[in-house]
Amino acid sequence: MVNQIHPCLWFNEGAKEAANLYCSLFKNSRISADTPIVVTFELDGNKFMGLNGGPQFKINPSISVFVLCESAEETNTLWEKLIEGGKALIPIDKYDWSERYGWLQDRFGLSWQISLAGEAPIKQKIRSCMLFTGNKFGMAEAAINFYTTIFDHSSTELLMHYPEGSENAGKVLYSEFKLHHQNMIAMDGPGVHDYTFNEGVSFVVECESQKEIDHYWKRLTEGGRESMCGWLEDKFGVSWQIVPAILDKLMSDPEKGPKVIQAFLKMKKFDIETLLKV
């Protein structure tokens, strides 16, 4: 199966403004598509979608963007530019896990973890990080195991638990895993948090065939719930969009585009054949 997984960021408005800022901070970055509703962009070669969806949902720190930096100077520069108009969640400083690390929420609401990498070469600079909080606390390992059985070319690369004897023994302190070649991070977040997963950040899965759409839809809705227009929520509360890879092309067609949109607004799971026939 061929697919591409990337985050979708839900903005009230200002997706283009946010994308411009983010693209200015990283090499190999660009805006690849720009419409009033959707802005698609790449950061260091990693695809993102910005959605001008209105005030219904808000991004929160349960899913953040984790950036591995090559130097302390790079961490400082990113921090200074991203925190402008935002706020610090964990101040940038030296910690046990990194010589230079900080967690912030930028002025658009998106959370960033900026960390100085160790001596190992950086294979993927920018990664999505899931934090399991509240009633989802302690589910990180089960989620990793679930996701890696659904997507091809997936594996658990690193799994660190809180030590035995500690209050959170057995929970995931830090983990790295791959979903279809995409490096991701997951952690259990102890303590009191006023946020958990929502539609503010979702994961888009681009599918080449109806068979792929059917597969991901069936597996990811196990214990979860279906929504509309290719959206679903899995049993851990994480939102996904299972979409045809051809969707952007169909929507950009001046004649067929409006009809395609009207067709999929009536769908829960996408039906490629129906979209092609409109």
Side-chain angles (χ1 to χ4, degrees):
M1 295 181 179
V2 178
N3 64 73
Q4 186 179 24
I5 304 170
H6 57 271
C8 174
L9 313 174
W10 184 295
F11 299 97
N12 181 8
E13 57 184 6
K16 176 72 175 293
E17 183 184 356
N20 281 330
L21 171 63
Y22 304 153
C23 287
S24 73
L25 302 179
F26 300 97
K27 297 177 182 177
N28 190 23
S29 300
R30 67 187 182 98
I31 292 178
S32 53
D34 179 13
T35 73
I37 299 176
V38 174
V39 178
T40 304
F41 56 100
E42 295 175 12
L43 302 180
D44 197 53
N46 297 278
K47 188 173 182 178
F48 286 77
M49 177 191 292
L51 177 65
N52 288 316
Q56 185 175 4
F57 303 114
K58 290 185 178 180
I59 299 172
N60 69 53
S62 60
I63 299 180
S64 57
V65 181
F66 200 108
V67 184
L68 294 170
C69 299
E70 296 179 355
S71 67
E73 181 182 7
E74 184 184 5
T75 64
N76 293 340
T77 299
L78 280 175
W79 179 271
E80 290 166 6
K81 291 182 178 179
L82 284 168
I83 203 168
E84 201 172 301
K87 63 180 180 179
L89 302 179
I90 298 179
I92 190 164
D93 208 338
K94 179 179 179 179
Y95 295 94
D96 291 342
W97 57 88
S98 175
E99 288 293 316
R100 195 71 176 160
Y101 168 89
W103 192 338
L104 64 86
Q105 193 169 40
D106 70 24
R107 66 178 181 268
F108 301 104
L110 182 60
S111 294
W112 298 78
Q113 297 188 61
I114 313 298
S115 183
L116 178 61
E119 296 181 357
I122 300 173
K123 295 181 179 179
Q124 185 179 316
K125 185 178 187 69
I126 298 175
R127 309 176 180 198
S128 296
C129 177
M130 303 181 189
L131 186 68
F132 290 75
T133 63
N135 64 359
K136 305 297 189 296
F137 176 65
M139 296 184 180
E141 187 167 358
I144 294 167
N145 292 336
F146 180 61
Y147 299 147
T148 53
T149 65
I150 294 173
F151 296 93
D152 289 342
H153 310 293
S154 300
S155 59
T156 303
E157 305 292 297
L158 176 65
L159 189 62
M160 299 172 59
H161 295 97
Y162 284 90
E164 290 298 326
S166 69
E167 182 181 358
N168 301 308
K171 305 298 190 294
V172 175
L173 175 64
Y174 178 81
S175 70
E176 297 178 359
F177 62 104
K178 287 184 178 181
L179 295 185
H180 199 78
H181 304 296
Q182 293 291 313
N183 289 288
M184 304 182 76
I185 295 169
M187 299 181 282
D188 283 313
V192 177
H193 300 275
D194 61 356
Y195 56 81
T196 188
F197 302 121
N198 70 354
E199 291 88 342
V201 179
S202 58
F203 292 105
V204 180
V205 184
E206 294 184 0
C207 302
E208 297 293 334
S209 67
Q210 189 64 45
K211 182 178 179 181
E212 288 186 15
I213 289 176
D214 294 346
H215 166 74
Y216 295 122
W217 191 267
K218 179 181 179 181
R219 293 300 313 278
L220 287 167
T221 54
E222 291 174 8
R225 66 178 182 87
E226 298 180 349
S227 187
M228 296 298 294
C229 306
W231 287 69
L232 65 86
E233 183 182 295
D234 70 27
K235 60 185 176 182
F236 303 103
V238 177
S239 291
W240 299 78
Q241 298 181 55
I242 313 302
V243 304
I246 198 175
L247 185 62
D248 284 348
K249 182 179 179 180
L250 293 175
M251 290 175 60
S252 62
D253 185 302
E255 182 180 344
K256 296 188 66 173
K259 298 177 183 177
V260 168
I261 293 172
Q262 289 302 311
F264 76 63
L265 285 175
K266 301 173 184 177
M267 299 177 180
K268 289 187 175 182
K269 181 179 68 175
F270 272 104
D271 184 326
I272 295 177
E273 184 175 355
T274 297
L275 295 180
L276 291 173
K277 286 181 177 179
V278 298

